[in-house]
Amino acid sequence: MKNLSGILFRILFVSVFLLNCFGLNAEAYESVIIKYPEQTWVSIYYQKERDETIAQFIPPYDYRNNWSQSLVFHSYKWAKGQSCNSFLNNLLSNISMQNDKMRVQPVKDNPNDAIVMWCAPKNKYMAEQCEILRVTRGHEGLISMHYINK
């Protein structure tokens, strides 16, 4: 019986070792789990085109065309090798073209994860809003996450 448990232990050890070796090459499916703000979010938009995917969520009390809070996730497979902070700066420059009075406060700035908070007053192109914007490196490319409050 002692010999049987030793054999079983070796089989288990080799199995775990082989799973770890070959499991590292498997493609991972990226997901996001959000706990803030703590409420149920409703999906109002999802689109996937070639190397980009975008999904938008709002609280259940808001309306699809007139929301006050929104979560947006945008993945860019084509941007896999780019720096997160330079990609975030490109996103901000696109917004500043719509509203040159926006104020930006950097929170984190590095090539693998960049976060800013920005606010802009209402103008003829956009409503008054604030946003927490994060660009981070994912398994398949870069991901931008936006918490928008109007």
Side-chain angles (χ1 to χ4, degrees):
M1 201 57 142
K2 237 182 190 180
N3 196 11
L4 180 60
S5 57
I7 291 172
L8 289 175
F9 178 77
R10 286 187 198 118
I11 291 173
L12 177 65
F13 178 79
V14 169
S15 299
V16 169
F17 176 77
L18 290 174
L19 281 173
N20 283 330
C21 287
F22 295 110
L24 293 176
N25 295 329
E27 288 294 317
Y29 181 79
E30 295 193 66
S31 13
V32 175
I33 298 172
I34 298 196
K35 292 196 64 124
Y36 176 83
E38 296 216 13
Q39 60 189 351
T40 303
W41 292 84
V42 178
S43 175
I44 62 165
Y45 182 80
Y46 178 84
Q47 184 175 357
K48 184 174 184 173
E49 284 187 23
R50 289 183 241 147
D51 286 348
E52 286 188 36
T53 305
I54 188 167
Q56 182 177 11
F57 303 87
I58 61 172
Y61 51 80
D62 274 346
Y63 300 100
R64 178 181 301 269
N65 296 324
N66 188 19
W67 48 265
S68 61
Q69 295 180 74
S70 178
L71 286 170
V72 178
F73 299 94
H74 197 155
S75 75
Y76 311 85
K77 286 184 181 181
W78 56 266
K80 188 170 187 167
Q82 294 188 23
S83 163
C84 290
N85 47 3
S86 63
F87 194 85
L88 183 132
N89 288 331
N90 288 338
L91 293 176
L92 288 174
S93 68
N94 291 337
I95 298 164
S96 69
M97 287 191 313
Q98 294 178 6
N99 195 325
D100 60 355
K101 297 199 183 334
M102 71 182 278
R103 297 177 326 262
V104 177
Q105 179 182 354
V107 176
K108 185 176 187 180
D109 188 20
N110 72 54
N112 294 312
D113 194 22
I115 303 169
V116 297
M117 295 187 306
W118 66 266
C119 290
K122 179 180 178 180
N123 69 10
K124 63 181 181 179
Y125 301 109
M126 62 189 287
E128 178 180 13
Q129 69 184 56
C130 291
E131 179 175 335
I132 300 171
L133 171 59
R134 180 178 193 177
V135 175
T136 190
R137 189 168 309 286
H139 176 71
E140 298 176 331
L142 296 185
I143 301 167
S144 67
M145 296 172 265
H146 313 252
Y147 172 70
I148 306 164
N149 196 352
K150 289 200 257 182

